[in-house]
């Protein structure tokens, strides 16, 4: 391994067609874009520089950052956008490159605590034996067997239990209910084992949520990791501004209160069974939180604090929620000395009450937006910063010199990275950040077509979903399924699915096409079914616009209903628009349009995943053609052939 100041490694040989990576990776192809990107990353690491790098689909950006990181010496933290990519990076890509380059680096995988089995809570809840369903009880027994055999405690390795099983709540800990050093099972703690391994490793793989929760909040031990590292690499870096705003902000949820009530009841049964009044107060807290949720009606919603306050039941139910916490606090104080668990519940009650009070009375908060998110069974009260640039910049400026690498397939508007650099606060940084934009090596002119149908109504037209379906049906039939229909809202998704169900039923003399809908199973399950069926149509919303990889024949058609602009009534969006206007900026050009372009690039990126793929991207929204800003959208998409003729689109799909 090479230390800074010594001659840099020869990456040309490593990425050559007859180099060590080619020998180790089946199907490896030497690509100029990959080599150039790797050289720029090596330069940034050697000089402790900031680098912002967009690399189009197929560039091989993972190897492009792994090779220089492993060869450069020092400690590297790699942060990914999803746990799925985190697992792939740690279990497949990282060992492959390490073995190919024969570098003796140690590696560690670190996830948030909810991803690890907690021996204390697992045993406590297994003994308690209170479960909503028999399946949850069976799942907890399976997790207990897994806990006896596993070395890591990582729940992703427990394949016998569904990832969305209710038993996981009973088998893991949270920041709130962890007993820390007071835990009687601390010697068996998988979270501490993972952290110790991360402290000692040369390369640590985390995800963005963990990075912000643990580095920015200095909450979960990562605060010790960062000072010792030489390089931080963010893959899927386009997600950082949104993730940062989540973690630089504050939130308090009724789910936290329900967890607190459940845990307090469990601790009371174990250590203060004679205090029946405490169990009664946990029931009262549960009722108060549920009544608070009912104040918003049955629908999910996002509301500003002012909009929420206009609801008749909001203020009295919020006060009742706070009152229930206060009464639980008073009673817990009389019992807290009876066990570590009850003392922990008292601490949590006071923290939750303080968070709630701060949200109700935030004082001067000109740089944040107070808003409410209503889910099916919960309410979250949020305070979100309107601009994360200065907050993020503070992290880059702090500590010893190190390299910061930001990379994704979707950071630039055209070839301009200015929007992204402004969002993360690195405009004006000295020395100036290094940048690079490398296009995809795929032959989009041969492999793909962009179809913009004619005679589409304005997206605000009441029957717009019907118009999208009329465009989609002949394309889906020509493609013999093998399609994603990506929608910009859940309402549109459900309506288009309903219309497609009817439209495809009318032609059952043809090959029946399975129709899948987001929400019918977990994302992983739906993708597995889609790949396995080979002729399916998946109708989905935002969560399938990115991080989804279906190479090969199973996906040949992506239909996008509208340009993905944020809804104007979204409280965070509306507040940011107002904030930017006060700064003299144009919110549409500096925020709305760049965000929409990046989302479009993500959606389009689902289509062509290898040199052999062929496919058609259909964008139904007429604004891409009719509006002046539409040019910024299609010019940022891969250089596909373009058509407005349905017959051309159908003919291409017939032969794909």
């Amino acid at each position: 391994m090479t230390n800074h100041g010594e001659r840099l490694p020869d990456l040309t040989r490593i990425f050559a067609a007859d180099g060590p990576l080619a020998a180790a990776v089946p199907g490896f192809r030497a690509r100029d874009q990959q080599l150039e990107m790797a050289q720029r990353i090596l330069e940034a690491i050697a000089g402790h520089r900031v680098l912002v790098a967009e690399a189009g689909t197929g560039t091989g950006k993972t190897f492009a950052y792994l090779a220089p990181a492993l060869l450069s010496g020092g400690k590297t933290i790699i942060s990914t956008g999803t746990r799925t990519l985190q697992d792939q990076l740690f279990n497949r890509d990282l060992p492959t490159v390490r073995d190919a380059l024969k570098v003796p680096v140690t590696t560690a995988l670190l996830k948030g605590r909810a991803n690890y089995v907690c021996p204390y809570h697992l045993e406590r809840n297994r003994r308690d034996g209170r479960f909503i369903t028999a399946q949850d009880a069976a799942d907890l027994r399976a997790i207990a067997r897994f806990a006896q055999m596993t070395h890591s405690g990582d729940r992703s390795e427990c394949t016998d239990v569904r990832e969305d099983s209710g038993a996981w709540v009973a088998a893991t800990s949270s920041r709130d209910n962890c007993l820390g050093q007071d835990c009687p099972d601390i010697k068996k703690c998988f979270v501490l084992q993972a952290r110790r391994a991360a402290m000692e490793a040369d390369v640590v793989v985390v995800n963005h949520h963990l990075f912000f929760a643990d580095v920015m909040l200095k909450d979960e031990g990562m605060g010790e990791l960062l000072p010792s590292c030489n390089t931080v690499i963010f893959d899927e870096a386009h997600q950082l501004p949104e993730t940062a705003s989540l973690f630089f902000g504050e939130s308090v949820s009724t789910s936290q209160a329900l967890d607190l009530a459940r845990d307090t009841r469990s601790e009371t049964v174990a250590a203060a069974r004679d205090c029946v009044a405490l169990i009664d107060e946990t029931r009262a807290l549960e009722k108060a939180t549920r009544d608070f949720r009912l104040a918003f009606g049955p629908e999910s919603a996002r509301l500003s604090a002012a909009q929420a306050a206009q609801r008749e039941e909001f203020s009295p139910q919020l006060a009742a929620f706070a009152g229930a916490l206060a009464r639980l606090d008073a009673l817990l104080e009389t019992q807290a000395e009876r066990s570590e668990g009850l003392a922990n519940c008292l601490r949590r009650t006071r923290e939750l009450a303080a968070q709630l009070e701060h949200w109700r009375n935030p004082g001067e908060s000109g740089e944040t937006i107070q808003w409410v998110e209503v889910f099916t069974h919960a309410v979250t009260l949020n305070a979100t910063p309107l601009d994360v640039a200065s907050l993020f910049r503070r992290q880059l400026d702090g500590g010893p010199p190190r390299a910061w690498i930001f990379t994704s397939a979707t950071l630039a508007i055209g070839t301009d990275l200015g929007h992204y650099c402004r969002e993360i606060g690195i405009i004006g940084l000295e020395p100036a950040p290094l940048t690079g934009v490398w296009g995809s090596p795929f032959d989009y002119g041969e492999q793909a077509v962009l179809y913009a149908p004619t005679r589409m109504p304005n997206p605000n037209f009441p029957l717009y979903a019907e118009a999208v379906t009329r465009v989609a049906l002949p394309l889906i039939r020509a493609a013999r399924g093998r399609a994603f229909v990506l929608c910009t809202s859940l309402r549109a998704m459900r309506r288009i699915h309903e219309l497609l169900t009817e439209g495809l039923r009318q032609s059952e003399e043809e090959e029946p096409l399975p129709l899948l809908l987001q929400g019918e199973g977990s994302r992983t399950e739906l993708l597995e079914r889609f790949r396995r069926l080979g002729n399916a149509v998946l109708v989905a919303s935002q969560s399938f616009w990115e991080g989804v990889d279906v190479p090969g024949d199973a996906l040949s058609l992506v239909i996008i209903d509208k340009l993905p602009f944020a809804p104007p009534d979204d409280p965070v969006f509306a507040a940011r628009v107002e904030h930017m206007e006060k700064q003299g900026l144009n919110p549409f050009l500096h925020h709305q349009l760049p965000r929409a372009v990046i989302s479009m690039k993500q959606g389009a990126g689902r289509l062509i995943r290898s040199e052999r793929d062929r496919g058609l991207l259909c964008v139904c929204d007429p604004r891409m053609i009719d509006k002046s800003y539409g040019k910024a959208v299609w010019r940022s998409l891969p250089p596909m052939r373009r058509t407005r003729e349905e017959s051309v689109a159908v003919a291409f799909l017939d032969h794909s």
Side-chain angles (χ1 to χ4, degrees), residues 424-468:
I424 60 170
I426 61 173
I427 294 287
L429 198 65
E430 291 293 337
L434 300 170
T435 59
V437 177
W438 290 275
S440 170
F442 298 154
D443 185 356
Y444 278 96
E446 280 298 314
Q447 292 179 252
V449 169
L450 171 61
Y451 170 44
T454 57
R455 297 186 297 280
M456 282 295 294
N458 186 288
N460 293 328
F461 180 60
L463 299 179
Y464 187 76
E466 282 76 0
V468 170

Side-chain angles (χ1 to χ4, degrees), residues 386 413 419 422-423 564-566 568 572-597 629:
L386 296 173
I413 311 303
H419 163 72
R422 275 190 299 274
E423 278 205 306
F565 289 112
V572 179
F573 168 75
R576 282 189 175 143
V577 164
E578 185 180 345
H579 180 69
M580 295 181 83
E581 286 173 341
K582 288 177 181 174
Q583 295 177 307
L585 297 172
N586 182 320
F588 183 78
L589 293 179
H590 288 94
H591 184 70
Q592 284 175 276
L593 185 58
R595 284 283 179 94
V597 167
Y629 59 77

Side-chain angles (χ1 to χ4, degrees), residues 66 70 88-100 107:
L66 282 178
L70 296 186
Q88 175 186 309
L89 190 60
F90 181 77
N91 294 317
R92 191 184 74 188
D93 299 335
L94 188 49
T96 297
V97 177
R98 180 184 61 187
D99 295 347
T107 63

Side-chain angles (χ1 to χ4, degrees), residues 637-654:
L637 296 175
M640 311 174 187
R641 280 181 283 159
R642 296 192 286 273
T643 185
R644 305 211 66 191
E645 299 296 325
E646 182 184 285
S647 59
V648 174
V650 167
F652 178 82
L653 289 168
D654 275 335

Side-chain angles (χ1 to χ4, degrees), residues 343-354:
N344 192 47
C345 289
L346 176 61
R347 175 189 59 78
R348 289 167 61 187
T349 303
R350 290 180 171 169
E351 285 180 0
L352 193 58

